[in-house]
Amino acid sequence: MSSSDDSAMPTRRHVIGAAVVACGAALTGCAAGEPGPAVVPPGVKGQVIAQAADIPVGGGKVIAKWKIVITQPAAGVFKAFSASCPHRGCAVGRISDGVIRCPCHGSEFAVDSGKCLKGPAEAPLAEYALRVEGDGIVMI
């Protein structure tokens, strides 16, 4: 090999440097933490979309008009998620025993976090911010 051929070969220093850059980029992504709540569908922000009394503890209710599912994982704690399954976009349906179920392919999600518990979906349900005003659940 001539010296001109050696310059095209990566050195150990080049390989280690590239690995450090790649790891740094990965850690930077992790440092950002969990993503914040998703942006609510147009027209729903500030709207009362459900009554707290209509959301069972450990269960929830799909608000079809807005494609949002409201859950109550524990007494007085309410969560809002997209009602569209991240697998193929089907509307989630049955919500009971702490689980949101998609009727199309059997994916299951946790009522407290939207986390995917059973595939084929791999991503969680997008979470929306809400607040309770009196007995009304308001999207923010």
Side-chain angles (χ1 to χ4, degrees):
M1 265 175 134
S2 70
S3 62
S4 64
D5 290 336
D6 291 339
S7 65
M9 298 289 294
T11 65
R12 182 175 175 191
R13 184 176 293 158
H14 289 124
V15 173
I16 291 172
V20 168
V21 169
C23 288
L27 289 175
T28 300
C30 292
E34 292 292 317
V39 177
V40 295
V44 72
K45 190 171 186 175
Q47 300 291 321
V48 174
I49 66 164
Q51 297 298 308
D54 295 337
I55 312 300
V57 176
K61 180 178 180 181
V62 174
I63 313 301
K65 176 180 180 179
W66 302 109
K67 297 181 183 175
I68 295 174
V69 59
I70 304 293
T71 66
Q72 187 175 186
V77 176
F78 296 91
K79 299 282 187 162
F81 304 100
S82 168
S84 295
C85 179
H87 174 241
R88 295 278 173 112
C90 293
V92 296
R94 204 176 71 190
I95 305 131
S96 63
D97 301 320
V99 178
I100 302 165
R101 293 173 179 82
C102 179
C104 293
H105 302 104
S107 293
E108 296 182 351
F109 305 89
V111 296
D112 64 342
S113 65
K115 176 183 174 186
C116 183
L117 303 173
K118 176 184 168 195
E122 295 178 0
L125 295 174
E127 183 172 0
Y128 301 128
L130 61 76
R131 71 174 174 261
V132 177
E133 291 181 1
D135 193 41
I137 297 172
V138 178
M139 303 308 299
I140 54 175

